Amino acid sequence: MATSKQRQRKKKEPAIRKRKTENLGLASTSMTVGEIRRALKKGQEHAERAEWPQAVTHLLKAWEAFPEDLNILTVLAHALTQLGVREHAIYVLERALHYHEPTPDVCSVIQQLALEMGFNEIAEKLGHQLVAMEPTVAKHYINLLTALNRQDKYTQSIDIAQQVMSMFGDNSDMWNVLASAVKYRDGNEASLVFYEEALRLDPRNYKVLSNLASAMPGTDRAYELTQRALDIQPDNPELHINMALEMFRKGKLAQGWEHYSHRLSSRRVQAQNITYTHKIPEWDGSSLEGKSLFVTAEQGIGDEVMFGNYLPYLYEQAEKLYIGVDRRLVSILQRRFPNAVVDGYTDRMTEGYRYRIFLQTERMIEDGLAHIDYSIPLGSCARYAWHKPVDIHPHPEGFLWPCPTRQAEFGDKVQHLKDKPIIGIAWRSGLSGGARLHKYSTVDDLAPLAALKDKVHFVNLMYTDVTEDLKAIKDKHGIDVFQVEDVDLKQDIDANIAIMAHCDMVIAACTAPGMFSLSSGRPTLLFEADAVWWGFGNDDHVPFAKDADFICGYGKQTFRQLIERTAERISERLDI
């Protein structure tokens, strides 16, 4: 037994203070309750200020303690999405759905994630569920209309907006999404009044500022609005890209390239983001003497060809040039650059990310058959040479060269047309609906070309099926447009270039066929409703092409008027 002195000593010994720990939810944590609360509070505060890296740091600590907490799960998933780590965001939301019924909060966050990843049909379905569950919440309608707009369902979007605008007439975002639907269905001019109302309601709404700027491209106000949006959201990649295009239009190339670099951000939506699987360091513009360079495709085939006009210069500068492009261009570029390695890419989609693989080149590196010093995305390959508009020149030897065999082949097919000048024509994009509806001319707009029908031959250069359009052009305007048979112009780009070699002139919308033409040195007229950003400060001609001019409306002329101007230019150039 303990003595009385021992008992007294025991009583006087201070109790050992234990750090308060909790078993919260399903996880044991060494954090105190106070530390957990502070982490959660800081995470939410950073999220409200769109400071996503700091938000994630604190929210992850809170999630460790509360793995089933719905608020933490949803805010954390949104923050992870904003940072571009979508696979982690999906995992967090899967946890949320595992532990919780699909409440409006959970569905709303999943809908937002679906929008950001480009799953617009899912976002639309969730939107209809959300407005049924909570019919007085503006955010649900706004996201629903956004999903509809992205699927080209503009009339449906406008109808819903009109039905609920009496409830949300003071909501800037509601006016903004309505304006976007009107813009894509009815054109830029029709949308301005709705964007202006959205801006009046919230002068600091960066989405409205950006969208209003996009409805008046090339104007001083577009530049000012884009700058205001960037001041509010300095890390938003889309705003940087918009500013880049405005800078390019004004000829401010050095600043434009800096903004344009944001186009490769992983935070962009699924259809726009891209991640290369190669690990080659990016070229910084230093001398390429004795060095190898890998130039990698990143955008559509028309953009590849446009920026590719600088490749002849890089071919001369680098000891070894590697080029990664759309597979349809491989044989063409290999012919133009015989000592280069030209590789076609393969894309793989994983968790909302697009990974671009250049299998041949990457295997050469792995097998020790190639050492590549630098890489550069194709859209940036001229960045360190084109600082001002005066720096841009077509290469003396041109860019795209027709295959002699194919040129002879198609020469035989158009031989019967050579009694008159031959005009190649591509009047719209293969994808001309939805948001592109007002960006290209229609069959009706081509009426002014009827004045030339007895003086020239027209040859179709559209690389999509336009059988119905060709019939309508004949029926409405009396114009016969010759269709080269037994060739797929969309897949066979070599055929495009070979046919164009026999054209005295090509007239086209600002699409891939027009780019093929000007890049192969053919006299080319390009008609465009607004200001063209890739004029790089030149309003009337393409600075990197031998003989290509713009006919732009700057938002003030219809396509029919642009085609009238085009017909006049043809008559002047060919003296007919």
Side-chain angles (χ1 to χ4, degrees):
M1 291 181 63
T3 64
S4 59
K5 287 184 177 181
Q6 288 174 325
R7 284 194 295 269
Q8 288 176 350
R9 214 167 30 245
K10 188 174 182 179
K11 288 179 182 178
K12 290 179 181 179
E13 288 175 354
I16 298 173
R17 293 187 62 188
K18 294 184 178 180
R19 179 178 175 85
K20 187 174 182 181
T21 61
E22 299 287 340
N23 190 320
L24 302 165
L26 294 181
S28 295
T29 176
S30 60
M31 297 174 66
T32 67
V33 172
E35 288 171 337
I36 295 169
R37 288 173 177 167
R38 283 192 294 273
L40 179 56
K41 182 180 179 182
K42 287 182 180 179
Q44 291 172 329
E45 289 173 350
H46 285 299
E48 289 171 1
R49 294 194 294 266
E51 298 167 350
W52 305 116
Q54 298 92 327
V56 168
T57 298
H58 294 289
L59 289 170
L60 282 171
K61 294 178 181 178
W63 187 39
E64 178 186 352
F66 289 100
E68 297 181 28
D69 187 278
L70 179 59
N71 290 328
I72 297 175
L73 287 168
T74 52
V75 176
L76 177 58
H78 181 65
L80 289 166
T81 301
Q82 296 304 311
L83 286 175
V85 284
R86 295 182 178 94
E87 72 275 19
H88 297 298
I90 291 171
Y91 170 71
V92 171
L93 287 174
E94 287 175 345
R95 289 288 298 271
L97 289 174
H98 178 73
Y99 290 116
H100 301 277
E101 292 296 321
T103 64
D105 285 343
V106 173
C107 290
S108 181
V109 173
I110 296 175
Q111 182 196 43
Q112 186 64 44
L113 183 64
L115 286 171
E116 291 169 357
M117 296 182 69
F119 300 147
N120 297 311
E121 291 184 3
I122 295 173
E124 178 191 349
K125 292 176 181 178
L126 287 168
H128 286 297
Q129 293 177 11
L130 284 164
V131 298
M133 289 189 284
E134 296 183 325
T136 60
V137 177
K139 179 178 69 173
H140 300 335
Y141 291 96
I142 293 165
N143 287 341
L144 171 59
L145 299 186
T146 299
L148 291 170
N149 287 348
R150 291 182 180 179
Q151 298 174 81
D152 303 338
K153 299 178 180 180
Y154 305 120
T155 298
Q156 185 178 346
S157 178
I158 292 169
D159 289 345
I160 293 174
Q162 290 175 331
Q163 292 169 17
V164 301
M165 192 59 80
S166 59
M167 288 193 294
F168 309 115
D170 60 349
N171 188 298
S172 174
D173 287 326
M174 184 64 74
W175 284 99
N176 179 55
V177 73
L178 170 60
S180 294
V182 172
K183 172 187 174 181
Y184 295 135
R185 192 187 71 173
D186 303 329
N188 284 343
E189 190 70 25
S191 70
L192 295 179
V193 63
F194 301 104
Y195 281 132
E196 295 286 7
E197 177 62 12
L199 188 60
R200 184 190 69 80
L201 289 168
D202 185 359
R204 288 185 55 79
N205 188 324
Y206 76 91
K207 294 179 182 178
V208 176
L209 290 165
S210 176
N211 289 339
L212 179 54
S214 73
M216 48 180 73
T219 64
D220 290 339
R221 191 171 182 220
Y223 175 84
E224 179 261 330
L225 290 168
T226 306
Q227 185 58 63
R228 284 170 58 187
L230 265 175
D231 291 341
I232 297 166
Q233 284 270 314
D235 297 325
N236 188 307
E238 304 307 322
L239 299 181
H240 280 283
I241 295 167
N242 292 346
M243 178 56 83
L245 304 190
E246 291 302 327
M247 291 284 192
F248 287 147
R249 288 186 179 101
K250 293 180 177 296
K252 298 180 178 180
L253 274 61
Q255 303 98 310
W257 289 119
E258 188 63 34
H259 289 287
Y260 199 52
S261 64
H262 289 261
R263 70 194 183 279
L264 296 172
S265 170
S266 63
R267 292 176 56 190
R268 301 190 72 195
V269 299
Q270 175 180 322
Q272 297 167 318
N273 73 72
I274 185 171
T275 300
Y276 295 117
T277 55
H278 71 74
K279 305 301 179 184
I280 305 168
E282 186 164 327
W283 181 43
D284 60 2
S286 56
S287 173
L288 290 173
E289 184 176 356
K291 302 293 183 180
S292 55
L293 178 67
F294 187 21
V295 184
T296 53
E298 46 168 306
Q299 302 179 49
I301 193 168
D303 300 286
E304 290 183 37
V305 172
M306 177 180 71
F307 288 113
N309 277 272
Y310 191 70
L311 287 174
Y313 292 100
L314 294 175
Y315 185 61
E316 294 171 344
Q317 295 169 30
E319 180 175 300
K320 186 72 174 181
L321 186 63
Y322 296 79
I323 306 170
V325 289
D326 187 299
R327 294 180 182 279
R328 292 172 289 176
L329 295 173
V330 170
S331 62
I332 299 170
L333 296 192
Q334 194 67 76
R335 180 172 62 247
R336 176 62 179 84
F337 308 113
N339 293 323
V341 174
V342 184
D343 191 5
Y345 64 75
T346 300
D347 282 351
R348 185 181 75 246
M349 298 299 303
T350 304
E351 303 290 3
Y353 294 99
R354 186 196 317 181
Y355 292 92
R356 180 151 292 178
I357 306 162
F358 300 94
L359 191 59
Q360 175 190 350
T361 304
E362 293 178 41
R363 282 183 174 172
M364 288 175 67
I365 295 171
E366 291 174 2
D367 294 342
L369 300 177
H371 171 76
I372 303 178
D373 296 291
Y374 305 115
S375 68
I376 189 77
L378 187 51
S380 296
C381 73
R383 174 178 182 172
Y384 301 108
W386 293 356
H387 303 290
K388 301 182 294 297
V390 294
D391 297 329
I392 307 175
H393 305 282
H395 192 274
E397 297 180 13
F399 175 33
L400 300 183
W401 297 347
C403 169
T405 302
R406 303 300 300 281
Q407 185 174 347
E409 172 193 346
F410 288 104
D412 291 340
K413 293 188 176 184
V414 299
Q415 182 63 40
H416 65 291
L417 304 178
K418 294 193 174 181
D419 59 320
K420 299 175 185 176
I422 297 175
I423 307 296
I425 181 171
W427 57 94
R428 63 173 174 83
S429 167
L431 300 173
S432 57
R436 300 186 176 207
L437 184 63
H438 297 277
K439 290 180 66 66
Y440 301 111
S441 57
T442 64
V443 166
D444 289 339
D445 294 325
L446 301 181
L449 296 179
L452 302 174
K453 66 181 180 180
D454 296 325
K455 302 176 182 179
V456 303
H457 291 296
F458 290 99
V459 173
N460 176 43
L461 297 177
M462 295 283 295
Y463 69 6
T464 188
D465 184 2
V466 289
T467 303
E468 293 301 317
D469 282 16
L470 296 180
K471 183 177 183 300
I473 292 171
K474 173 64 175 176
D475 293 343
K476 292 185 176 185
H477 311 312
I479 302 173
D480 285 305
V481 180
F482 178 69
Q483 173 75 50
V484 180
E485 300 295 336
D486 302 321
V487 60
D488 183 347
L489 292 177
K490 186 175 182 65
Q491 296 302 321
D492 191 350
I493 308 305
D494 239 331
N496 281 262
I497 299 168
I499 294 170
M500 290 170 183
H502 297 282
C503 294
D504 295 276
M505 182 175 287
V506 170
I507 61 173
C510 291
T511 59
M515 198 60 66
F516 302 154
S517 174
L518 67 88
S519 298
S520 60
R522 304 314 301 158
T524 306
L525 295 177
L526 300 161
F527 39 87
E528 168 63 36
D530 296 307
V532 179
W533 65 266
W534 44 272
F536 296 108
N538 296 277
D539 294 332
D540 57 358
H541 72 281
V542 183
F544 51 82
K546 177 183 176 182
D547 186 0
D549 291 337
F550 295 121
I551 297 178
C552 295
Y554 301 103
K556 301 182 183 301
Q557 289 187 309
T558 64
F559 269 109
R560 189 185 182 99
Q561 291 172 315
L562 296 178
I563 300 300
E564 287 177 357
R565 291 171 56 192
T566 302
E568 291 170 0
R569 290 285 295 277
I570 294 173
S571 296
E572 293 170 4
R573 286 288 301 266
L574 300 181
D575 193 24
I576 55 176

